[in-house]
Amino acid sequence: MTKYNCVGFFVVSVMVIIGIYNFSMNSSNFTLVNSMAVYATTNMSHSEHMAEMHHSPTNATMSEEDKKRFCGDSKINSNLFVSEFVLPGQCSQPVGLAVDKDNNVWVASGKLGSLFVFNTTTLEFDKIIKIPNWPEQTRIMGSMMWNMKFDKNGDLWFTDELSNSIWKYFVKEGKFENYRLLEEGGYPQSIAFDSEGNVWFTQFFGNRLGFIEPSKVITNTTEGISELDMSRQIDFQTMGPISNGFGFGNTNTNNNATTATTPTNANETLWFSTAIFPMGGHIIGYDVTAEALTIHDVTYTHNVPFSIAEDENGLLWANSHIANLFFSLNPNTGEIKQYATSNPSTSGNLTTLPYYNVYRDGKLWFNEHYGNAIASYDPKNKTLVEYYVPSQNPLWVNSSNPLRFTFDNNGSIWFTEWTENKLGVITKDKLDLIPITVGVSKDKLVLDSKNNKSDSVDIYIYKNLINSSKIINSTITSNNYTTATNDIDNPVNVTMDVTSSIAKNGKLANLTSSFSLDIITVADKPSSEIGPSPQLKTTLEVNPTADITPGNYTLTISAKYGKDLTVSKMMDLEIK
């Protein structure tokens, strides 16, 4: 079996395909025209384009089971935080998305070969742009178009798996150009811009760091492209997304870097990861100015690092996409600290699979591929918040496959649902409407495994005062905002849970634990009472077993608020 046929095993980002659809990257019959520039189809009306896509012969060849698995049900599901919009093309299979300077959200359809433009003011898709010479799809899955970004000139760049190329769409001219990778089967994954406007990219299978010099490219050729062969430096199987270091590239549109703080260590460093299966990999920094690599081997952590984000203190944050873990790396000392997400009981999966991450406004943001959530972690107050996506596909173990997300110009989060044909959003105002706060009586638990000594911590749940009118008056209102308002005003059961960094799946391996109260009903206090809402308390006791491995770990103490979100507090755990 070749590495291209083993995509389900080798590419972490598409491990959802394991056991379902093996495909070959060499099966593409993509054909490029010879002209120097190709243009978008703009003379077709919206209704004509809709009719064309809904009667696409590609979709007609799909079985009903395939449509259920990859096309969604066209139902709009919303909850207290998330609103959804169905894409205008049937079975679009969206992944990459980007936001332009006018706050429009652009979404790529790798199945239909189209760009959809969503107007965040009218809340409608008001433009459909056909990618020229798009090949007829011969497999169930469309091309995986993982990444889209606007450059400083307002032009759109995006990756295309099946054509093994990177596209550029000149927005004002309505013109497409296509730049081919140097080697077949590279599979472009992610792109980033440097301060000179050059494009850097990683490849799933190419094992090379790519570079595009826009002033030298010629469409439909490899001109202007060069690559650094990473396999000469280290041994690995695939590469993760590429990102700008903190403070590097903030002038680029939609770069997703925080602009709230200017770091003292700002430099032109690009970060990406490499992966070794079943576990292992590296976190790599490339200094653009010095043309030098810095390699951090994290194989000893038994993680598969994926997606790197640098914070204002120079800490590097990565996700382990084979597990429930994410972790920080101090590049100066080599110290690594691992954290677990909450249990993915909402979706019914065994793992959450954190995937793509961004550091913004003092928080680490990431999507949980199988946890079916968008999450934020605040390192200062050690709080993790997971916002659950309401759509769940039972054929994907109740996940909607939220594979990519981005921030708009107002701070709202937009994400695609690959198998559900949807665009989702959590608006900035709703991100702040957290109904509960979790507090703990101490920051650390200490267990003595030799003497079988346990430890305990008191956990406090506080009901936050939320003005439900903010939900109704939100910039984007859910279709069922009445239900959402009732959820925030009425008593809600909070379910307690605990995970740890001891095991990759977040379980308390070789530990036992119990809460004095597993379920707590959170409600507003009677209007006759004066003062803040009373705190609700439960106690967690953790006991070691003789088989536990001594060391320093973390605990994640979680309070699941209905079906909409989970708020968790991180604690240190020392086992002697």
Side-chain angles (χ1 to χ4, degrees), residues 243-430:
S243 64
N244 297 85
F246 189 93
F248 166 33
N250 288 344
T251 57
N252 293 329
T253 302
N254 192 38
N255 200 37
N256 276 333
T258 179
T259 56
T261 307
T262 301
T264 57
N265 62 337
N267 54 58
E268 292 211 18
T269 301
L270 298 165
W271 292 100
F272 58 94
S273 63
T274 63
I276 303 170
F277 296 91
M279 61 184 66
H282 310 83
I283 292 177
I284 300 175
Y286 181 75
D287 188 318
V288 175
T289 304
E291 299 183 352
L293 288 170
T294 301
I295 301 172
H296 303 275
D297 190 340
V298 297
T299 301
Y300 71 94
T301 66
H302 304 297
N303 289 307
V304 172
F306 205 80
S307 195
I308 313 300
E310 183 181 19
D311 68 19
E312 68 272 25
N313 298 313
L315 282 180
L316 302 174
W317 294 86
N319 296 326
S320 181
H321 196 59
I322 60 168
N324 288 21
L325 304 181
F326 62 100
F327 61 93
S328 64
L329 164 68
N330 185 323
N332 297 319
T333 65
E335 179 186 2
I336 285 180
K337 193 166 188 176
Q338 302 186 74
Y339 306 87
T341 65
S342 69
N343 276 318
S345 58
T346 298
S347 65
N349 283 293
L350 298 178
T351 54
T352 55
L353 301 185
Y355 174 53
Y356 175 66
N357 65 8
V358 167
Y359 187 82
R360 178 188 172 101
D361 298 330
K363 295 179 181 179
L364 179 72
W365 298 84
F366 57 92
N367 53 331
E368 296 179 6
H369 180 182
Y370 265 11
N372 207 37
I374 303 295
S376 71
Y377 177 63
D378 187 335
K380 292 182 179 179
N381 63 27
K382 300 180 180 179
T383 298
L384 174 71
V385 180
E386 295 161 291
Y387 305 85
Y388 295 114
V389 180
S391 288
Q392 297 180 350
N393 190 328
L395 296 178
W396 293 96
V397 200
N398 293 323
S399 172
S400 67
N401 287 293
L403 297 182
R404 279 294 234 180
F405 69 92
T406 191
F407 288 85
D408 70 15
N409 304 330
N410 298 322
S412 299
I413 299 178
W414 296 83
F415 58 92
T416 51
E417 299 177 41
W418 176 50
T419 55
E420 305 314 297
N421 199 42
K422 294 173 184 176
L423 174 67
V425 63
I426 309 173
T427 56
K428 173 60 176 176
D429 48 359
K430 290 185 180 180

Side-chain angles (χ1 to χ4, degrees), residues 459-512:
I459 303 157
Y460 306 98
I461 309 297
Y462 301 88
K463 179 73 164 63
N464 297 328
L465 297 177
I466 301 294
N467 185 351
S468 59
S469 64
K470 289 184 178 180
I471 301 174
I472 300 175
N473 298 323
S474 173
T475 53
I476 297 178
T477 304
S478 293
N479 294 325
N480 57 343
Y481 69 86
T482 302
T483 302
T485 303
N486 290 337
D487 287 343
I488 206 74
D489 290 337
N490 292 338
V492 174
N493 285 335
V494 171
T495 304
M496 303 304 300
D497 200 359
V498 60
T499 54
S500 80
S501 63
I502 295 175
K504 294 191 298 295
N505 60 6
K507 304 300 182 184
L508 271 66
N510 297 318
L511 296 177
T512 60

